[in-house]
Amino acid sequence: MFFSPLCAVVPANAKTASENNLERPKGPQKEESMPRIILASQSPRRKQLLSQIGIKNFEILVPGGEESYDPSLSPEEIVSSICRKKGESARTLAGDPSAIIITADTMVFLDGLRLGKPRSREEAFSMLSALSGKTHHVCTGVTVSQGSRMETRAETTAVTFRPLTDTEKWAYIHTGEPFDKAGAYGVQGPAALFIPRVEGDYFNVMGLPLALLGEMLAGFGVKLFSDEEELH
Amino acid sequence: MFFSPLCAVVPANAKTASENNLERPKGPQKEESMPRIILASQSPRRKQLLSQIGIKNFEILVPGGEESYDPSLSPEEIVSSICRKKGESARTLAGDPSAIIITADTMVFLDGLRLGKPRSREEAFSMLSALSGKTHHVCTGVTVSQGSRMETRAETTAVTFRPLTDTEKWAYIHTGEPFDKAGAYGVQGPAALFIPRVEGDYFNVMGLPLALLGEMLAGFGVKLFSDEEELH
């Protein structure tokens, strides 16, 4: 297990490093002194985003679990509830009470309607047609757990599409981009051309709200950007 | 010169492909049928963003030109004026009236004050301290030209930083990220942890507003996502 210089892990209740014998190692860090960090998600975008914030090594674990939910709930409640279930399933699978487990679930909502991953080109076309010229909302639930402690929060970002021509929709579908993505688009690819405006956390639209995750991880003792020893 | 399947270039005034003998080649495309696309910028982020929207091959040209401007102008007028001068310089350098030349200039403004690229760790610290807990604005001017035709537009995005601790600022400075970036941060790196909110075009914060650029290029006949032949 190796953390980049940006990332130091200390117990959430630590008062000083010396009290806990957990001073940051100078060289390659010892596995013993670090909890495992597990990303319970298969999304390549989420892996990339963890890496972006300085968590270079982590394990991937894919929890099972159904995605059923009570449709009367709000978008934030829905993603939170699914994410919490995934988190519980991942915690059981991991079987390590010291591991920090990150789970996330992202959904796209347009006028109260949920847009999942398109199963055909025609469905992708319908989704892109629905998004065209409108503002929709991307909600991600994030669950962080360690042993019996589990926290879940949700983030919503508004995304505005410019009006699309049918030619543009089909050319975009032809790239294959829509098929593993809720709402039939990926903001980090050429669909950027369609999106003149987001309001909220951009990375949330990619599947993981990084500022929120950083705040949650800090509560679990994973301090990103706290490399005091290398200051000045 | 090679374009990805997403990118077809036709004259802006073309009525049909056959009228102009400019049918999209099936295999590797012929240089003769394509104008050169020149990005007049050294920014690695801008290169990456052009590639993201399907313009895979383009030339890089670095125009000279001073960055002087009238400080009584608005942020949008300032970036537009600098960008237009860069565009004129690049057009002269390129010396090819058929080439499509893209120039951009990005500036960061906080409460009417311009934040450039920090020249020292102390200056980076001052900039991050000024941005901490506040909303600032990132303005990019974009100039597209071909021969005597030149168009310039500007895009502004609001970016909100959460409050930062001094420890976080120094740890971030220690990564080296701030030094080639206006405002001392790069949104596409670990500074994502500091930024819970943007309002506007996210890619503008990286240095190139993609939706606006796509619209301007379309006006010059560079149609992204117009691959009619491969529909269905």
Side-chain angles (χ1 to χ4, degrees):
Chain A
M1 182 99 190
F2 171 76
F3 286 83
S4 83
L6 286 182
C7 179
V9 181
V10 293
N13 58 353
K15 289 203 178 80
T16 70
S18 59
E19 275 179 13
N20 291 281
N21 268 337
L22 263 175
E23 287 174 291
R24 208 179 59 78
K26 293 283 185 191
Q29 298 173 339
K30 290 176 191 158
E31 282 202 21
E32 307 74 357
S33 67
M34 292 289 171
R36 294 158 70 194
I37 292 194
I38 296 173
L39 173 65
S41 168
Q42 276 189 299
S43 154
R45 268 98 49 200
R46 294 201 181 104
K47 293 181 209 173
Q48 180 197 327
L49 290 171
L50 274 198
S51 171
Q52 179 180 332
I53 57 172
I55 302 176
K56 299 294 182 193
N57 273 354
F58 48 87
E59 293 162 58
I60 303 283
L61 183 153
V62 183
E66 15 102 51
E67 294 215 356
S68 65
Y69 57 87
D70 174 354
S72 70
L73 296 175
S74 73
E76 287 81 5
E77 288 169 334
I78 292 172
V79 292
S80 295
S81 128
I82 291 179
C83 193
R84 207 178 293 116
K85 282 183 213 159
K86 282 189 189 172
E88 284 160 5
S89 159
R91 180 163 62 183
T92 307
L93 263 176
D96 175 356
S98 72
I100 288 181
I101 301 172
I102 301 164
T103 339
D105 194 75
T106 300
M107 287 188 180
V108 174
F109 292 90
L110 175 71
D111 301 333
L113 203 77
R114 180 188 164 194
L115 304 183
K117 295 175 185 176
R119 285 156 296 183
S120 66
R121 288 155 34 124
E122 288 65 30
E123 201 179 2
F125 185 84
S126 301
M127 286 187 188
L128 293 170
S129 300
L131 298 175
S132 172
K134 286 194 179 170
T135 296
H136 65 274
H137 293 89
V138 178
C139 296
T140 301
V142 181
T143 296
V144 178
S145 73
Q146 188 178 38
S148 60
R149 184 176 167 208
M150 180 175 279
E151 279 182 27
T152 299
R153 290 172 64 183
E155 182 84 40
T156 299
T157 301
V159 179
T160 304
F161 267 53
R162 67 163 168 79
L164 308 180
T165 65
D166 287 355
T167 301
E168 287 173 320
K169 293 171 210 164
W170 283 120
Y172 181 61
I173 291 165
H174 188 79
T175 65
E177 281 263 323
F179 297 103
D180 61 339
K181 299 178 183 82
Y185 75 95
V187 68
Q188 70 289 337
L193 286 165
F194 304 155
I195 300 173
R197 184 171 183 83
V198 301
E199 277 182 61
D201 187 313
Y202 166 79
F203 304 99
N204 188 35
V205 188
M206 281 181 70
L208 205 51
L210 293 180
L212 175 65
L213 176 66
E215 199 184 314
M216 293 173 76
L217 286 174
F220 280 81
V222 181
K223 307 273 186 199
L224 302 158
F225 293 115
S226 60
D227 203 14
E228 290 91 345
E229 289 161 25
E230 296 187 24
L231 301 188
H232 297 267
Chain B
M1 183 102 193
F2 171 75
F3 286 82
S4 84
L6 285 180
C7 179
V9 179
V10 292
N13 58 354
K15 289 202 179 81
T16 71
S18 58
E19 274 179 13
N20 291 280
N21 267 336
L22 265 173
E23 286 174 292
R24 208 180 59 77
K26 292 285 184 191
Q29 298 174 336
K30 290 177 192 158
E31 283 200 22
E32 306 83 317
S33 67
M34 292 288 171
R36 294 158 70 195
I37 291 193
I38 296 174
L39 173 64
S41 167
Q42 275 188 299
S43 154
R45 269 100 47 204
R46 293 202 182 104
K47 292 181 210 173
Q48 180 197 325
L49 290 170
L50 274 199
S51 169
Q52 179 180 330
I53 57 172
I55 302 178
K56 298 294 181 195
N57 273 354
F58 47 87
E59 294 163 57
I60 303 285
L61 182 153
V62 183
E66 14 102 51
E67 292 217 357
S68 64
Y69 56 87
D70 174 354
S72 70
L73 297 175
S74 73
E76 288 80 5
E77 287 168 334
I78 292 172
V79 292
S80 295
S81 127
I82 291 178
C83 193
R84 208 176 293 117
K85 283 183 212 159
K86 281 189 191 173
E88 285 161 5
S89 159
R91 180 164 58 182
T92 307
L93 263 176
D96 175 357
S98 71
I100 288 180
I101 302 173
I102 301 165
T103 340
D105 193 76
T106 300
M107 288 190 181
V108 174
F109 293 89
L110 176 70
D111 301 332
L113 203 76
R114 181 189 162 192
L115 304 182
K117 296 176 184 175
R119 283 155 299 181
S120 67
R121 285 151 40 120
E122 288 66 29
E123 200 178 3
F125 185 83
S126 301
M127 284 186 188
L128 293 169
S129 300
L131 298 175
S132 171
K134 286 193 178 171
T135 297
H136 64 274
H137 293 88
V138 178
C139 295
T140 301
V142 180
T143 296
V144 177
S145 73
Q146 188 179 37
S148 60
R149 183 175 168 207
M150 178 175 282
E151 280 182 25
T152 300
R153 290 174 65 183
E155 182 83 40
T156 299
T157 302
V159 180
T160 303
F161 267 52
R162 68 162 167 79
L164 308 180
T165 65
D166 287 354
T167 301
E168 287 173 320
K169 292 171 211 164
W170 284 120
Y172 181 61
I173 291 165
H174 187 80
T175 65
E177 282 262 325
F179 297 104
D180 61 339
K181 298 179 182 83
Y185 75 94
V187 68
Q188 70 288 337
L193 285 165
F194 304 155
I195 301 174
R197 184 170 181 84
V198 299
E199 277 181 63
D201 187 313
Y202 165 80
F203 304 99
N204 188 34
V205 188
M206 283 182 70
L208 205 50
L210 293 180
L212 174 64
L213 176 66
E215 199 183 314
M216 293 173 76
L217 285 175
F220 280 80
V222 181
K223 308 271 185 200
L224 303 158
F225 293 115
S226 61
D227 202 17
E228 288 92 346
E229 289 161 24
E230 296 187 25
L231 301 186
H232 297 264

